[in-house]
Amino acid sequence: MTISPHALDAAVALTPAGAHRFTGHTHPAYSNMVGPFGGTIAATLLNGVLSHPERLGDPLSLTVHYAAPITDGAFEVHARPMRTNRSTQHWLVELRQGDAVAAFATVLTAVRRDTWSATDAVFPSVPSAESLPRHPGVFRTEWPKAYDMRFTDGEQVLDNVVRDDAVTRVWLRDEPPRPLDFLALSAICDAFIPRVFVRRSRAVPAGTVTLTVYFHADAALLAAQGTAHVLGCAKGLRYSQGFHDQTAEIWSAQGDLLAVGHQVVYFKE
């Protein structure tokens, strides 16, 4: 019996097509209002580095610029190491459709070493994932269905009642469950609706312009998570002149800070 790959693996899959070049294809399970879900685009660009034979170490940071709408269909990913040092490596990755760059990213990889460590961020006191129901979702796009989301607060309610903040805390994992790795974690960092939706409790035209992910977990810590839910804590900071920023922390159930995401979102009214 042939087992189909997980939808995320199919969405980010890349086929070598020459030096520093891969081909890929969008996946309907992660369609959004305009083009694919930005989290899978980020994971696809990261996969260009992870799939490259010259890669050194594991990801430390990923910054994606969503330069133009991405249409459903085929694309190319060009990944090239810009500088390789003894323990760090800097990458430029482009997603191209036709003759145009639709998205591009810089990636920093590194060989980690044991040092003193501490976490100043505070793991919140929230109910467990198992004690909460799965949220049914309120948006008419496909990608939220690809996640099991269990909100402790700040859930997606579009009732036009303006809130005092845009804080969301939600347990989430891939649906169907998939072991956590760098690709899944990078996508999860974008699995939070624009904070303007939450702040104003209504949907307006909006989209991520740039996303940065800082990976605090190494491959061993991610592997230890298995298919368990992770806790996402997101908030907005400033909304002004058609743009706002938002941040997200991704925690394990054991209180390990796995990643932090920062993004700028365009919105229109």
Side-chain angles (χ1 to χ4, degrees):
M1 183 178 67
T2 301
I3 300 176
S4 299
H6 192 282
L8 179 63
D9 294 302
V12 305
L14 295 174
T15 301
H20 310 302
R21 188 164 65 93
F22 304 86
T23 59
H25 199 285
T26 60
H27 195 285
Y30 294 94
S31 63
N32 203 356
M33 291 179 288
V34 178
F37 165 51
T40 54
I41 296 304
T44 299
L45 290 165
L46 180 61
N47 201 26
V49 174
L50 297 183
S51 301
H52 201 288
E54 297 179 25
R55 172 172 63 96
L56 173 71
D58 287 332
L60 277 183
S61 70
L62 162 70
T63 296
V64 180
H65 294 268
Y66 300 92
I70 296 171
T71 59
D72 291 330
F75 55 78
E76 287 191 352
V77 168
H78 295 230
R80 184 162 58 97
M82 304 299 289
R83 171 84 184 209
T84 300
N85 301 313
R86 286 194 301 176
S87 60
T88 61
Q89 194 173 43
H90 301 261
W91 292 80
L92 177 64
V93 192
E94 298 174 337
L95 187 150
R96 301 180 182 179
Q97 286 190 312
D99 296 328
V101 174
F104 64 95
T106 55
V107 178
L108 171 63
T109 62
V111 176
R112 296 175 183 264
R113 57 190 177 88
D114 290 333
T115 64
W116 173 85
S117 63
T119 303
D120 288 346
V122 178
F123 181 67
S125 177
V126 295
S128 67
E130 293 74 21
S131 67
L132 299 168
R134 181 179 177 182
H135 192 267
V138 297
F139 294 100
R140 298 176 182 177
T141 55
E142 288 300 311
W143 76 263
K145 301 174 186 176
Y147 291 99
D148 179 331
M149 299 186 181
R150 305 179 183 220
F151 288 83
T152 70
D153 54 282
E155 64 185 72
Q156 303 164 3
V157 178
L158 304 182
D159 56 9
N160 291 313
V161 177
V162 177
R163 296 180 53 191
D164 292 332
D165 61 46
V167 174
T168 290
R169 297 183 182 92
V170 55
W171 291 101
L172 68 168
R173 70 178 179 192
D174 290 293
E175 180 60 35
R178 177 189 180 280
L180 190 65
D181 59 12
F182 288 111
L183 297 175
L185 183 58
S186 61
I188 283 173
C189 283
D190 193 40
F192 305 90
I193 61 173
R195 297 294 87 191
V196 67
F197 290 9
V198 179
R199 185 75 158 76
R200 306 196 66 188
S201 298
R202 63 190 181 96
V204 299
T208 300
V209 179
T210 182
L211 164 70
T212 294
V213 177
Y214 297 112
F215 299 98
H216 294 299
D218 61 13
L221 180 56
L222 292 183
Q225 307 308 308
T227 60
H229 287 82
V230 295
L231 180 67
C233 304
K235 64 181 179 180
L237 297 177
R238 171 68 175 172
Y239 313 81
S240 177
Q241 298 179 316
F243 296 92
H244 72 78
D245 61 341
Q246 61 188 60
T247 67
E249 299 170 0
I250 310 298
W251 297 84
S252 75
Q254 293 73 39
D256 295 305
L257 184 60
L258 304 176
V260 175
H262 303 273
Q263 62 181 273
V264 174
V265 176
Y266 158 85
F267 69 94
K268 181 179 179 180
E269 293 195 72

